[in-house]
Amino acid sequence: MNQQVQQTLQSLGWNEAFATHFAPFAEQGYSVGRITLEHKRIYRLLSEHGELLGEITGKLRYEATGREDYPAVGDWVVISPRAEEKKATIHALLPRKSKFSRKVAGDSVEEQIVAANVDTVFLVNALNNDFNIRRMERYLILAWESGASPVIVLSKADLCDDVDSRLREVESVAIGVPIHVVSSELGEGLEQLAPYLGEGKTIALMGSSGVGKSTLINKLSGSDMQRVSEVREGDDRGRHTTTHRELFLLPSGGLMIDTPGMRELQLWEADEGFRGAFDDIESIAEECRFNDCQHVREPGCAVQEAIADGMLEKARFDSYLKLQRELAHLARKEDARLQAAEKDKWKKINVQMRQRKPKR
């Protein structure tokens, strides 16, 4: 890989870890690209050959056992480019360094990968009437689980009469997480975000509809890259503006993934993320008299003592229990799904073996 190609890829977030995983493919003459847009199994990607449209091979599609085996926005993929056609064939995914996932909406037990290979997740929350501290806890769980670093961006500060009060609320649930208050409309506080936007660094914007993600990306890019809409009258809730996930290049050299607003944010395999988001409660629980304390009526329960003393809000503890139950329920459903998938896999293998078996 020559110097110019290396510089081009590094500007897209390439690093030594990706290069190590790609080395065997490079020896076979393949190239790499980074997914910027996904649309019904057609992918737009950036590479040393510029922007290309990619399709995955039948082999990759056949061997995929779940959504995580398909490319997502932010992924690095192994390609055979056809530069003259502005197209490419996608043969494989390189291992991800981070992955922000949620469960798909509805009853289906399936993972939806929102963004891959992200360095920092901007969790955008509006300070107007749509402010929701419990929703923020959900975002924090998935952000910690993703492997990327969470940063909370409190937007629409110009529409809030008591910023300090809401900031204290956020600080009580986002322990150790950087928090920045901004107003994209007035251009205030945006300079605080500059350190995260360095060359080759990838940031993903997450948040509900109407929190100002598209306006923020337009301000940071210095152009109208994303369409924006006014919030609805009466409840301050935004209309859906962004309809798909897309990776943009910023003037600073950073890369930003904008995502559609998520009204329904269901958790997905978030054991580590759960502990990270509720580290305060987990730490208090370590002081309980019994290791298997359920924090209800057991004697010597440090959690109940903390609630009684006002050191822990009951609403936060109730949210902790609710999300804990949700993850346990998801784990049971996921286990059943995996068993069914394993059964189907062996059924396919047996069919293939019978087809290959020579007839007497």
Side-chain angles (χ1 to χ4, degrees):
M1 192 178 289
N2 63 45
Q3 183 90 18
Q4 185 176 355
V5 171
Q6 187 78 13
Q7 289 178 344
T8 299
L9 295 181
Q10 284 177 350
S11 69
L12 298 176
W14 188 251
N15 59 33
E16 286 299 321
F18 292 128
T20 299
H21 292 301
F22 177 63
F25 296 103
E27 294 173 358
Q28 300 175 55
Y30 290 110
S31 296
V32 291
R34 192 168 190 196
I35 303 293
T36 62
L37 181 66
E38 173 193 356
H39 183 66
K40 294 181 179 178
R41 303 304 188 212
I42 299 293
Y43 303 90
R44 191 169 71 199
L45 56 91
L46 292 175
S47 70
E48 62 184 281
H49 307 282
E51 186 175 280
L52 306 173
L53 282 180
E55 288 187 278
I56 65 174
T57 63
K59 181 175 183 289
L60 180 56
R61 191 185 304 275
Y62 178 78
E63 292 178 346
T65 59
R67 179 60 188 86
E68 66 175 7
D69 296 322
Y70 287 95
V73 173
D75 267 326
W76 283 98
V77 290
V78 178
I79 62 172
S80 293
R82 303 191 298 281
E84 66 285 351
E85 301 176 37
K86 295 293 182 183
K87 294 182 178 180
T89 301
I90 299 172
H91 297 272
L93 277 70
L94 295 184
R96 299 171 174 122
K97 72 174 183 179
S98 64
K99 178 184 68 170
F100 191 101
S101 297
R102 68 167 179 171
K103 190 182 90 62
V104 295
D107 296 329
S108 177
V109 184
E110 187 178 351
E111 177 184 19
Q112 181 185 55
I113 301 174
V114 180
N117 297 316
V118 173
D119 296 295
T120 305
V121 180
F122 281 179
L123 303 177
V124 187
N125 297 266
L127 286 168
N128 58 5
N129 291 340
D130 198 29
F131 180 79
N132 188 318
I133 204 75
R134 302 283 80 92
R135 187 194 303 143
M136 198 176 301
E137 288 173 337
R138 285 179 173 270
Y139 275 107
L140 279 167
I141 289 172
L142 296 182
W144 282 121
E145 187 70 17
S146 74
S149 299
V151 170
I152 290 179
V153 178
L154 299 177
S155 62
K156 302 191 178 184
D158 54 301
L159 300 180
C160 180
D161 295 328
D162 193 357
V163 173
D164 290 341
S165 175
R166 291 199 161 166
L167 181 58
R168 286 193 295 272
E169 282 189 69
V170 176
E171 288 172 340
S172 71
V173 302
I175 300 159
V177 177
I179 304 170
H180 302 290
V181 178
V182 305
S183 169
S184 298
E185 204 61 42
L186 301 180
E188 295 177 351
L190 301 180
E191 71 283 350
Q192 303 171 58
L193 307 181
Y196 306 104
L197 309 176
E199 184 174 2
K201 296 297 182 183
T202 302
I203 305 93
L205 289 177
M206 306 288 175
S208 300
S209 302
V211 297
K213 300 189 303 297
S214 296
T215 303
L216 181 60
I217 198 171
N218 287 344
K219 289 291 184 180
L220 294 175
S221 66
S223 63
D224 292 334
M225 298 178 72
Q226 292 290 71
R227 187 172 64 87
V228 298
S229 297
E230 296 297 324
V231 297
R232 296 197 303 256
E233 292 184 11
D235 63 2
D236 271 358
R237 290 194 170 192
R239 301 180 179 93
H240 286 277
T241 301
T242 303
T243 57
H244 55 268
R245 293 174 289 280
E246 186 170 1
L247 184 148
F248 299 95
L249 298 178
L250 298 175
S252 65
L255 303 102
M256 185 165 283
I257 299 175
D258 193 11
T259 64
M262 292 183 275
R263 282 288 176 209
E264 184 177 358
L265 186 65
Q266 296 194 44
L267 303 181
W268 179 263
E269 292 183 355
D271 290 344
E272 290 297 325
F274 184 83
R275 285 191 286 272
F278 288 99
D279 184 62
D280 55 334
I281 297 179
E282 297 275 306
S283 297
I284 294 171
E286 290 178 1
E287 303 300 320
C288 289
R289 183 182 302 174
F290 303 109
N291 292 333
D292 59 350
C293 183
Q294 299 299 303
H295 318 306
V296 183
R297 297 184 183 86
E298 292 88 346
C301 176
V303 173
Q304 288 299 327
E305 288 178 9
I307 293 173
D309 294 342
M311 295 179 61
L312 174 64
E313 286 188 0
K314 187 177 185 303
R316 176 157 170 79
F317 179 62
D318 289 342
S319 177
Y320 168 87
L321 294 177
K322 178 185 176 183
L323 295 173
Q324 197 175 54
R325 288 193 297 269
E326 186 176 323
L327 282 171
H329 178 64
L330 174 65
R332 289 193 296 271
K333 292 178 70 174
E334 172 67 358
D335 187 55
R337 186 189 71 85
L338 291 175
Q339 288 180 19
E342 185 72 9
K343 186 176 179 180
D344 287 343
K345 183 183 79 171
W346 283 105
K347 189 181 292 184
K348 281 184 181 180
I349 292 173
N350 289 331
V351 169
Q352 291 174 346
M353 291 176 67
R354 285 198 299 270
Q355 289 173 345
R356 292 174 183 173
K357 189 174 181 180
K359 295 181 179 180
R360 293 184 179 178

